[in-house]
Amino acid sequence: MTLRANWNYPTAIRFGAGRIVELPQLCAEVGMHNPLLVTDAGLAKLPLMERIQTILKDGGVAFGRFFDVKPNPDSDDVDAGVVAYRAGQHDGIVAVGGGSALDVAKAIGVIVNQTCSLWDLEDVGDNWKNADPSKIVKVIAIPTTAGTGSEVGRSSLIIDAKAHRKVIIFHPKMLPEIVLADPELTVPLPPHLTASTGVDAFVHNLEAFCSPFYHPIAHGVALQGMKLVKDWLPVAYKEGTNIEARSNMLSASIMGATAFQKGLGGVHALAHPVGAVFGTPHGLANAILLPYVLKRNQAGVAERLTEAARYLDLPNPSFDSFMSWVMDLRTELAIPHSLGDIGIDESQADFIGTSAKNDPSDGCNPVTLTADDYKAIFIKAVRGEL
């Protein structure tokens, strides 16, 4: 089967293996003649980035480089990118990478020409109106992981290092102008990152599906996104060069980030402060926390997860069969069972609980949780007690 298409939901998406060669054409399409190429320090060293730069050069596109994004980016990354953008007098951004690079690139684009600060655009109330939309820079997003789906998102997750919290920066026009989704670019992803980013995509779909808010389009997208992860993540994990598996996982990632317009939930509410405090990669935090939050949410999600279990063709569809499959998947992907297994202790439990309650994702959780509830879930996840 040939997996190749042009989509416009929620933005223009050029999807298909080998389509990275179209990058110069896409730059011309959106009026970029001198973009800033943004990626993270690790990806900058790989042959993939050399190839992308060669494609731009051969296509006659001038560009600058900002390759210093950290795995858990903070405002210093954004500030440095703003300096690079202004110094090079760039006219757009080409963002390459996983969630970290894409989030920083979008944050640079939204703030570089504004008079307000980055934190003035925190996703609270109508803060997004603090930005002048006419001054937001266009972004072409090129994902190299199948997890965060940041390429189709209208927000960025940036750490406020002083406050030890991850802040969601939001503006509707942060949505990239074009997504170049080439599954071949995800092939170099090692198995452990394929696993954790893949579970991240699953959690996006799952929490969107369980969100109590009305959004039937996102609801259906989330259900099919979960099905793609079930069918294809184990294949991508074991057979990294399988382009069909990589394609379907890239689709599932895009679907998850599209679906969470409907909302996320307690897994993300906890994963954000865990990442901010302990530096845990976001996908890994989600993968570990998932069953502990599901167990606490059981009363509010049992009916929906029975529906999901039926669609996923699990035996004896029920909350328990869904939970059992989640646990088996984590084992198959070598996901650590507990936060304690990756060196996290309980010393910050109070702060984690309070921060999770204050996280925007808490408002979409299908069960009302208190700061003490989140603290208790965190401690269980540290101890591995389900």
Side-chain angles (χ1 to χ4, degrees), residues 84-138:
Y85 188 94
R86 290 172 177 165
Q89 298 182 310
H90 296 292
D91 59 5
I93 296 173
V94 173
V96 183
S100 299
L102 300 185
D103 278 1
V104 169
K106 291 190 299 180
I108 294 168
V110 77
I111 204 65
V112 66
N113 295 322
Q114 307 293 336
T115 56
C116 64
S117 77
L118 186 67
W119 307 133
D120 288 336
L121 301 178
E122 182 176 359
D123 187 17
V124 176
D126 289 337
N127 277 354
W128 62 273
K129 293 182 178 179
N130 290 324
D132 181 344
S134 69
K135 295 181 178 180
I136 296 175
V137 170
K138 291 180 180 179

Side-chain angles (χ1 to χ4, degrees), residues 159-179:
I159 292 176
D160 179 349
K162 293 181 181 178
H164 297 290
R165 67 189 188 109
K166 285 192 172 182
V167 179
I168 299 175
I169 305 301
F170 170 83
H171 194 283
K173 290 186 73 65
M174 288 177 72
L175 184 66
E177 192 79 4
I178 294 178
V179 175

Side-chain angles (χ1 to χ4, degrees), residues 173-190:
K173 290 186 73 65
M174 288 177 72
L175 184 66
E177 192 79 4
I178 294 178
V179 175
L180 182 48
D182 184 340
E184 288 183 355
L185 306 187
T186 69
V187 167
L189 204 64

Side-chain angles (χ1 to χ4, degrees), residues 22 81 87 105 148 269 348:
E22 298 175 25
T148 69
Q348 299 295 317

Side-chain angles (χ1 to χ4, degrees), residues 147-148 200-208 256-257 260 264 268 282 286:
T148 69
D200 189 23
F202 177 75
V203 175
H204 289 161
N205 283 290
L206 171 62
E207 290 204 300
F260 69 57
L264 288 168
H268 276 79
H282 179 67
N286 276 335

Side-chain angles (χ1 to χ4, degrees), residues 184-369:
E184 288 183 355
L185 306 187
T186 69
V187 167
L189 204 64
H192 74 283
L193 290 179
T194 298
S196 60
T197 56
V199 177
D200 189 23
F202 177 75
V203 175
H204 289 161
N205 283 290
L206 171 62
E207 290 204 300
F209 183 73
C210 292
S211 167
F213 295 103
Y214 179 71
H215 196 320
I217 298 172
H219 193 77
V221 168
L223 187 59
Q224 178 62 10
M226 285 191 283
K227 181 71 163 59
L228 289 180
V229 174
K230 175 183 180 288
D231 291 346
W232 294 104
L233 178 54
V235 181
Y237 175 71
K238 296 170 185 173
E239 305 172 23
T241 59
N242 186 314
I243 294 299
E244 187 176 9
R246 293 292 192 181
S247 297
N248 279 294
M249 281 307 302
L250 193 54
S251 292
S253 175
I254 290 170
M255 292 167 75
T258 299
F260 69 57
Q261 296 175 35
K262 187 170 178 274
L264 288 168
V267 178
H268 276 79
L270 273 169
H272 290 157
V274 167
V277 172
F278 298 102
T280 309
H282 179 67
L284 180 60
N286 276 335
I288 295 174
L289 288 163
L290 173 58
Y292 302 95
V293 176
L294 278 181
K295 190 72 174 177
R296 181 61 181 80
N297 280 345
Q298 181 172 356
V301 301
E303 184 176 344
R304 285 202 171 166
L305 292 189
T306 298
E307 176 190 349
R310 188 173 296 113
Y311 188 76
L312 298 181
D313 199 26
L314 300 180
N316 304 312
S318 64
F319 174 85
D320 288 339
S321 68
F322 189 93
M323 186 75 162
S324 177
W325 170 72
V326 165
M327 297 304 293
D328 289 345
L329 178 66
R330 288 163 89 245
T331 299
E332 185 176 5
L333 300 177
I335 300 294
H337 178 62
S338 73
L339 293 175
D341 290 338
I342 60 171
I344 293 177
D345 61 30
E346 300 172 24
S347 61
Q348 299 295 317
D350 287 323
F351 180 80
I352 295 293
T354 300
S355 298
K357 183 59 187 174
N358 291 332
D359 190 273
S361 297
D362 166 71
C364 305
N365 198 61
V367 173
T368 300
L369 300 176

